[in-house]
C-alpha cells in the first residue's frame, strides 16, 4: 500500500518507514508535523495515512484535527491515528463519520509489529482497527445508569470485538462462535440498545459509538 506518515518522534517515524518499506509498502512522505499533512494527502492521495494525535506546534490535537479533515475530504483514504494515552473523546470523534478505513492505536501497540501491520491491512481493506486496550479501558463503568447493562456477558464480548473493528467472521474466530451465533448476538445487541434500521445509518457504527460513549 501507499502511505504517508506524520509523527514528531524521529526515532519512531524512521523506524516505521524502515518497517513499512521492508514489508513491501511505499512510503510517499514522512514528516514531524501536521501542518502540511492535509496538503500532502490532497496531492499524493495515499491509501493510508498514519498520524500522531499530538503534533507540533502546540502538541495538543493537531494530528487528530488533520485526520478528521482527511476523512471528511477523502473518505476513500484510510486513517490510522496513534496516541500515547487512551482518550475517549478522540476515539468517538474519529468514528463520528463512520467506522470504515479508520484506526486508533496506542503507541505501545506499534512495537507489536504483527498487530500494527494487521491494523494497517484491515484499514486498507475498508475496515476498522481500534486498540483492544482502548476498548478495555472504555468498558470501565461508573455507578450511573449503564445503557449496556441489559447485555449478557457474551453480547458484551461480541460488542467489544465489534468496537475493535473485527468483522463477523473474525469475531466468531476470536470468541469461538459460529457465524450465525455472532449474527444472532449482534442483532440482540442492536435490539437492546434500541438501534432501529434507519436509512443512512449503520447499526454497527451506532452500536460502537453507543459503546464508546457509555
Amino acid at each position: 500500500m501507499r502511505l504517508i506518515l506524520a509523527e514528531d518522534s524521529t526515532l519512531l517515524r524512521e523506524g516505521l518507514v524502515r518497517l513499512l518499506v521492508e514489508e513491501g509498502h511505499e512510503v510517499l512522505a514522512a514528516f514531524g508535523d501536521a501542518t502540511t499533512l492535509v496538503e500532502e494527502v490532497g496531492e499524493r492521495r495515499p491509501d493510508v495515512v498514519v498520524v500522531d494525535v499530538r503534533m507540533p506546534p502546540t502538541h495538543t490535537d493537531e494530528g487528530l484535527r488533520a485526520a478528521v479533515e482527511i476523512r471528511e475530504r477523502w473518505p476513500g483514504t484510510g486513517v490510522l491515528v496513534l496516541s500515547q494515552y487512551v482518550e475517549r473523546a478522540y476515539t468517538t470523534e474519529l468514528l463520528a463519520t463512520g467506522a470504515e478505513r479508520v484506526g486508533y492505536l496506542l503507541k505501545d501497540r506499534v512495537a507489536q509489529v504483527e498487530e500494527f501491520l494487521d491494523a494497517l491491512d484491515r484499514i486498507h481493506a475498508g475496515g476498522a482497527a481500534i486498540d483492544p486496550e482502548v476498548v478495555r479501558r472504555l468498558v470501565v463503568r461508573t455507578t450511573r445508569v449503564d445503557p449496556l447493562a441489559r447485555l449478557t456477558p457474551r453480547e458484551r464480548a461480541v460488542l467489544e470485538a465489534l468496537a475493535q473493528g473485527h468483522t463477523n467472521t473474525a469475531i466468531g474466530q476470536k470468541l469461538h462462535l459460529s457465524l450465525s451465533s455472532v449474527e444472532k448476538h449482534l442483532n440482540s445487541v442492536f435490539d437492546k440498545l434500541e438501534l432501529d434500521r434507519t436509512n443512512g445509518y449503520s447499526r454497527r457504527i451506532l452500536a460502537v459509538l453507543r459503546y464508546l460513549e457509555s
Side-chain angles (χ1 to χ4, degrees):
M1 69 186 79
R2 302 163 65 252
L3 302 105
I4 287 180
L5 306 181
E7 164 59 55
D8 64 324
S9 168
T10 302
L11 184 62
L12 178 56
R13 184 173 68 250
E14 294 304 319
L16 288 176
V17 169
R18 181 173 180 177
L19 169 65
L20 293 168
V21 170
E22 288 178 349
E23 289 294 320
H25 302 305
E26 181 182 0
V27 179
L28 302 175
F31 36 83
D33 64 87
T35 56
T36 58
L37 178 57
V38 175
E39 181 180 345
E40 289 285 334
V41 171
E43 291 181 358
R44 298 174 181 263
R45 298 299 180 92
D47 299 313
V48 178
V49 174
V50 179
V51 57
D52 187 6
V53 166
R54 300 176 184 271
M55 301 282 286
T58 68
H59 293 279
T60 53
D61 63 353
E62 286 88 347
L64 178 71
R65 300 267 73 78
V68 171
E69 183 175 351
I70 290 167
R71 282 176 56 72
E72 292 174 345
R73 295 178 62 178
W74 301 287
T77 299
V79 174
L80 174 57
V81 170
L82 304 179
S83 179
Q84 192 70 41
Y85 311 102
V86 175
E87 300 178 82
R88 172 161 48 187
Y90 290 169
T91 313
T92 304
E93 185 168 0
L94 195 63
L95 291 172
T97 55
E100 296 85 21
R101 296 182 177 86
V102 63
Y104 183 100
L105 293 183
L106 295 179
K107 287 190 175 181
D108 289 345
R109 191 71 55 186
V110 177
Q112 301 177 36
V113 174
E114 291 303 321
E115 292 192 33
F116 173 68
L117 294 175
D118 176 66
L120 285 177
D121 287 339
R122 283 157 58 187
I123 294 168
H124 186 218
I130 307 302
D131 196 296
E133 184 61 23
V134 172
V135 175
R136 276 195 292 271
R137 293 192 194 182
L138 295 180
V139 151
V140 178
R141 307 298 174 192
T142 63
T143 55
R144 62 186 176 85
V145 176
D146 181 1
L148 307 182
R150 287 175 289 178
L151 303 185
T152 66
R154 178 61 76 182
E155 289 167 350
R156 290 178 72 99
V158 169
L159 180 55
E160 178 177 339
L162 177 67
Q164 292 173 22
H166 293 295
T167 63
N168 288 7
T169 300
I171 292 173
Q173 294 172 344
K174 181 181 176 69
L175 300 179
H176 306 291
L177 295 171
S178 67
L179 184 58
S180 61
S181 293
V182 172
E183 293 171 347
K184 178 181 178 182
H185 285 307
L186 281 176
N187 285 329
S188 179
V189 168
F190 298 151
D191 289 340
K192 289 182 179 180
L193 295 182
E194 300 178 353
L195 301 176
D196 297 326
R197 290 184 174 85
T198 305
N199 290 334
Y201 293 91
S202 164
R203 292 200 298 173
R204 295 173 72 89
I205 295 173
L206 292 174
V208 170
L209 290 175
R210 184 73 60 83
Y211 179 81
L212 295 175
E213 290 171 351
S214 31

